Amino acid sequence: MSKELVFGHQSPDTDAIVAAKAYSYLQNQLGYDTEAVALGEPNAETAFVLNYFDEPTPRIIKTAKDEVDSVMLVDHNEFQQSVSDIKDLTITHVVDHHRISNFRTDQPLYYRAEPVGCCSTILTEMFDENKIDIPVQLAGLMLSAIISDTLLLKSPTTTDKDRIAVKTLAEIADIDYEKYGIEMLKAGTNVAAKSDQELIDSDAKSFTMGGKNVRIDQINVVDFEDIDKRQDDIKNAMATEAQDKNYDLFLVLVTNVLNSDSRLIVVGDPVEAVEKAFNNKLSQDATMSLPGVVSRKKQVVPPLNEALS
Ligand code: MN
Ligand code: MN
């Protein structure tokens, strides 16, 4: 069997990097020859996690066709979020917890999708199904991914399966997950250390909605004030990027991870669709407060998609 690469989405978050490592480990135990790689640098939170559990950062790739014919996707399936030459590769496996909107392949494949809070939750189940033990360090990483994706089990994307997986993994890793989780989330919110460009890039995803190119970024903070003083600069960076990359609409969701609220910064058109999606008016400074909203996947993408379609 020839070697395959395993990776999560571009602008990787903790789950994208950890799920690739976990799935690669599992598949290698089951006889495949795989390597976990990443489609971008780890963000501050992921760097904290890798350092905490003393695990190496995966190699970063831009293209895959030059080294393999086949790949396995985790934590994403939309081609515009994947490796740049995904259309020239054979996808043999997908493990994901996102919508399926434009996925197609020429060959049959293994595809595991579950509407749970984190890809690493599905992988926790798959280790169990295959009777493979999760190594201690890997359990710590997978626990971190679930805490990250579900904001310590508080996001509305959280399911009972995520809660069970957190308990299982915390036991294996021997971690007080609530205490560790707050420390980890805080480590990921250091916005002062990031440039405006890094802020609008580091957790951004592209979507096609009703024929529009929509870019949605999420910035975690522990205090909205961290963003307030830079809001005009951030908006300028968004406008420039939207023009360069042909985004019709660029949204930045600023999420307070401690009290589970968000604020939306909006650049582009149609603004009316954004207002309709959230049943709220944009204020003078092109922002909108979204109390209780923390999940891009569950609370932003679906209403926006409906409003634009
Ligand atoms: Mn992700
Ligand atoms: Mn995920």
Side-chain angles (χ1 to χ4, degrees):
M1 216 175 317
S2 55
K3 184 183 158 176
E4 297 187 49
L5 295 178
V6 186
F7 47 82
H9 51 82
Q10 294 175 23
S11 304
D13 52 17
T14 299
D15 191 32
I17 288 183
V18 165
K21 285 174 83 88
Y23 195 40
S24 173
Y25 177 87
L26 175 63
Q27 291 294 63
N28 290 350
Q29 294 295 307
L30 296 173
Y32 288 89
D33 175 16
T34 74
E35 179 190 354
V37 292
L39 303 186
E41 292 283 343
N43 63 30
E45 179 193 274
T46 313
F48 170 90
V49 169
L50 292 168
N51 181 51
Y52 192 98
F53 293 102
D54 200 17
E55 278 279 319
T57 302
R59 187 163 63 86
I60 295 165
I61 61 159
K62 292 261 179 276
T63 55
K65 182 69 190 158
D66 42 344
E67 48 178 320
V68 294
D69 295 324
S70 304
V71 296
M72 305 182 185
L73 310 185
V74 292
D75 199 35
H76 76 296
N77 69 78
E78 301 196 31
F79 285 6
Q80 71 268 33
Q81 298 170 6
S82 197
V83 76
S84 59
D85 53 357
I86 188 70
K87 291 198 169 94
D88 304 325
L89 293 152
T90 302
I91 303 167
T92 63
H93 296 70
V94 179
V95 181
D96 190 25
H97 68 127
H98 293 89
R99 72 171 191 174
I100 305 170
S101 94
N102 58 12
F103 187 84
R104 64 171 298 283
T105 58
D106 293 330
Q107 300 293 329
L109 76 162
Y110 291 97
Y111 197 116
R112 173 84 172 243
E114 288 190 41
V116 294
C118 182
C119 192
S120 294
T121 297
I122 307 172
L123 289 164
T124 306
E125 294 180 319
M126 292 173 80
F127 273 87
D128 186 47
E129 290 160 8
N130 287 286
K131 310 250 181 309
I132 305 281
D133 287 336
I134 304 174
V136 173
Q137 306 301 100
L138 187 59
L141 297 188
M142 293 166 79
L143 173 68
S144 305
I146 303 175
I147 292 169
S148 171
D149 267 12
T150 65
L151 292 180
L152 246 177
L153 304 176
K154 281 192 291 201
S155 163
T157 55
T158 311
T159 66
D160 282 341
K161 286 186 172 184
D162 300 298
R163 288 182 201 97
I164 292 165
V166 160
K167 261 185 111 177
T168 306
L169 296 166
E171 260 166 44
I172 298 170
D174 193 20
I175 292 258
D176 176 345
Y177 76 87
E178 285 182 312
K179 190 161 160 265
Y180 165 75
I182 287 173
E183 196 188 340
M184 186 203 92
L185 289 173
K186 279 187 173 169
T189 60
N190 189 4
V191 298
K194 290 182 195 157
S195 69
D196 300 323
Q197 191 61 39
E198 284 169 327
L199 281 180
I200 66 165
D201 264 349
S202 53
D203 186 19
K205 289 184 183 178
S206 296
F207 301 89
T208 309
M209 298 181 185
K212 298 278 182 198
N213 290 324
V214 181
R215 182 80 163 170
I216 309 176
D217 178 46
Q218 188 163 23
I219 303 172
N220 286 350
V221 298
V222 285
D223 191 337
F224 285 129
E225 268 188 25
D226 298 344
I227 290 296
D228 281 343
K229 47 187 185 268
R230 299 171 62 178
Q231 198 158 282
D232 288 340
D233 296 331
I234 290 170
K235 251 184 279 174
N236 286 336
M238 289 166 70
T240 305
E241 175 112 333
Q243 187 150 38
D244 288 352
K245 303 269 172 71
N246 266 325
Y247 303 138
D248 298 296
L249 203 51
F250 196 152
L251 309 184
V252 169
L253 186 70
V254 185
T255 299
N256 186 321
V257 293
L258 296 186
N259 65 14
S260 305
D261 278 332
S262 290
R263 184 192 291 168
L264 200 59
I265 306 175
V266 181
V267 163
D269 278 309
V271 162
E272 307 74 45
V274 180
E275 296 187 324
K276 188 174 154 212
F278 302 105
N279 196 19
N280 202 337
K281 284 272 167 221
L282 267 192
S283 55
Q284 288 287 334
D285 63 352
T287 68
M288 183 186 286
S289 137
L290 297 176
V293 170
V294 295
S295 169
R296 166 172 47 200
K297 178 168 64 175
K298 201 153 186 167
Q299 295 170 296
V300 177
V301 171
L304 193 64
N305 191 41
E306 195 179 313
L308 282 165
S309 297

